[in-house]
Amino acid sequence: MLNQSWRISDKEYEYLKAVLDSGFPGSSTINFTAKLEQLFAEKFASKYAISFTNGTATLHAALAAAKVGAGDEVIVPPLTMASTSFAVLHCGASPVFADIDPATFLISAESVKACITPKTKAILPVALYGLTPDMDAINAIARKHKLVVIEDNAQCFLGKYKGKVAGTLGDIASFSFQNSKHITCGEGGMVTTSNPEYAEFIRKFSSLGYGNVSAEPGKSKINKSDIVKPDFTRHICPGYNYRMSELCSAFALAQLERLEMFVTWRKKCAAGFAGAIKDVSWLIPQQTPPECENSYWTYTVKLNAPEIKWDDFYNKFKEFGGDGFYGAWRLTYTEPYFSKIIPDEHKNCPVAEATQPYLMQFKTNYGNDSDINKQADALYKTISYFQ
Ligand SMILES: Cc1ncc(COP(=O)(O)O)c(C=O)c1O
């Protein structure tokens, strides 16, 4: 039995209790959301951090802030969780799929270039598995064509690119606190940006377009003394009520305070898996370029041995005491819904198609050496079995 209790400390209980004990009186006496946002902005070197219900709502808000709307196109990778593309659809726009790089499994800047049309409004690169794409190349394309760059960092906490933390590499960035992520509160998300106009729009969008909420510190919540008045004007723009609850903020703050520890364990775990495959030519790990620091949401390898079936490898890994692993999501445009609505000329990513079926995403959320060794050992034994 693997020990997962390490993910939750006394702090989570303490902060949750503080919210419960407060009796939910409103923002005046207790405001974990503001503390969470302030600390997140600090850790992610951004002027603003705005909390959300999840990391899909964050993408929707970021795209809306970039004025993505009906008739526009947004360039996305096909190898990712489908929220990336769903958020584009939420804005009434169309996802256009750029192929991936065969070594990093990330959106390829060359392929992005080929996807640009007069309708392109934004690029939405995904820091898949904890690794940032080639952001200098992507930003250069964006500058040339006046596009907005939105980082989908749902899987990348404290990953770095040329010394800069993920979340500061584009115009706006999105993070997820869903269960499997580096830090969690069950479901939740965060947007970072250093652009005051985007921040202001995103804060209002996350509420119900309230006129008196703002991205500035201390102004995240509606002002009670104003709204009691019968002639108070509330809604000045569209809003989706995507705000994070105080309970989730309290939990997420306790997690955020220990973020570095969570990332360190993920990296340790990845190092264990890397050790197990180091002499194996037919397991190809996601390649981390020298200018990047991978935060290893998962340790992902491509099974490059036609005679070994993915399912057989999975079953043997479990037999040897492994905790299982995930296959990659089907390419978004091959999912039934997307397949119907995406035109055929936008379903052309041969590298992603040749990669996705063979990926194995090993989990990295273990918080002690014994569990990490057990997983690495199971991988080592599985490899020896198939050698
Ligand atoms: C790359 C990516 N983008 C977006 C999301 C959406 O986040 P959430 O589940 O918090 O809505 C996820 C979540 O798993 C993800 O992995």
Side-chain angles (χ1 to χ4, degrees):
M1 185 65 183
L2 293 160
N3 175 8
Q4 286 294 305
S5 60
W6 66 283
R7 289 188 85 192
I8 298 172
S9 72
D10 290 347
K11 279 283 173 198
E12 279 81 349
Y13 287 95
E14 182 192 322
Y15 292 174
L16 284 175
K17 187 170 181 310
V19 179
L20 297 174
D21 288 349
S22 76
F24 296 95
S27 56
S28 50
T29 52
I30 199 158
N31 196 343
F32 279 103
T33 306
K35 288 184 193 142
L36 172 71
E37 291 177 347
Q38 191 185 343
L39 185 61
F40 203 95
E42 264 170 45
K43 284 188 191 271
F44 288 81
S46 301
K47 276 202 188 125
Y48 305 98
I50 301 161
S51 54
F52 278 76
T53 47
N54 59 56
T56 308
T58 46
L59 291 171
H60 182 193
L63 288 161
K67 297 197 167 49
V68 170
D72 293 333
E73 292 178 350
V74 177
I75 300 174
V76 298
L79 179 67
T80 177
M81 194 249 192
S83 286
T84 315
S85 293
F86 268 120
V88 176
L89 297 180
H90 293 346
C91 292
S94 306
V96 172
F97 296 94
D99 209 348
I100 61 166
D101 176 273
T104 62
F105 312 148
L106 304 174
I107 193 166
S108 127
E110 277 312 302
S111 180
V112 168
K113 252 186 225 167
C115 292
I116 305 272
T117 75
K119 292 182 185 170
T120 310
K121 199 74 181 256
I123 309 172
L124 188 29
V126 178
L128 199 70
Y129 306 135
L131 180 65
T132 52
D134 185 356
M135 294 304 289
D136 276 358
I138 289 170
N139 283 327
I141 299 167
R143 266 195 306 276
K144 182 166 172 200
H145 297 276
K146 297 194 168 43
L147 309 174
V148 180
V149 175
I150 297 165
E151 302 169 62
D152 183 348
N153 293 337
Q155 303 174 7
C156 187
F157 285 75
L158 302 186
K160 294 210 176 110
Y161 176 81
K162 300 191 177 172
K164 288 168 76 183
V165 69
T168 60
L169 306 170
D171 297 294
I172 311 173
S174 161
F175 295 84
S176 163
F177 301 155
Q178 172 269 342
N179 282 343
S180 71
K181 301 304 189 300
H182 290 76
I183 55 172
T184 187
C185 56
E187 301 281 353
M190 190 71 79
V191 170
T192 57
T193 182
S194 289
N195 177 313
E197 277 166 36
Y198 288 146
E200 198 61 26
F201 179 95
I202 289 166
R203 171 72 78 202
K204 288 184 163 57
F205 194 86
S206 80
S207 73
L208 283 166
Y210 293 132
N212 70 342
V213 298
S214 139
E216 295 306 324
K219 298 200 172 150
S220 64
K221 291 193 177 173
I222 196 157
N223 188 339
K224 283 258 161 68
S225 61
D226 289 339
I227 63 162
V228 290
K229 294 170 194 154
D231 61 347
F232 179 65
T233 303
R234 286 172 171 76
H235 312 287
I236 64 160
C237 56
Y240 282 77
N241 205 11
Y242 279 155
R243 290 166 299 175
M244 180 178 274
S245 75
E246 272 296 297
L247 281 168
C248 284
S249 297
F251 198 102
L253 177 63
Q255 295 262 300
L256 182 62
E257 287 173 350
R258 294 182 299 139
L259 175 60
E260 291 76 5
M261 183 272 290
F262 288 122
V263 174
T264 300
W265 278 116
R266 298 245 180 195
K267 287 181 174 173
K268 260 187 147 181
C269 197
F273 286 129
I277 71 158
K278 73 176 174 354
D279 298 321
V280 186
S281 61
W282 45 273
L283 287 180
I284 301 170
Q286 180 184 37
Q287 190 184 92
T288 301
E291 67 272 21
C292 296
E293 233 178 83
N294 196 326
S295 67
Y296 286 112
W297 175 64
T298 58
Y299 184 78
T300 301
V301 305
K302 182 180 172 193
L303 177 59
N304 201 29
E307 69 285 5
I308 305 172
K309 290 203 168 62
W310 189 101
D311 284 3
D312 293 342
F313 198 96
Y314 178 88
N315 291 333
K316 273 291 159 209
F317 180 66
K318 294 269 285 190
E319 244 177 79
F320 286 124
D323 185 25
F325 51 79
Y326 283 80
W329 317 260
R330 287 177 64 110
L331 299 186
T332 307
Y333 61 72
T334 72
E335 289 287 347
Y337 175 60
F338 287 90
S339 176
K340 264 190 281 177
I341 62 169
I342 303 292
D344 284 344
E345 66 269 25
H346 289 159
K347 294 175 183 155
N348 184 24
C349 296
V351 180
E353 284 171 23
T355 304
Q356 180 272 339
Y358 307 104
L359 291 180
M360 304 189 286
Q361 303 174 183
F362 290 90
K363 295 184 241 173
T364 53
N365 57 340
Y366 306 102
N368 63 78
D369 289 319
S370 148
D371 283 344
I372 289 177
N373 292 339
K374 190 173 165 201
Q375 296 311 306
D377 188 53
L379 179 55
Y380 186 79
K381 287 184 175 139
T382 311
I383 291 164
S384 306
Y385 175 87
F386 286 107
Q387 286 279 32

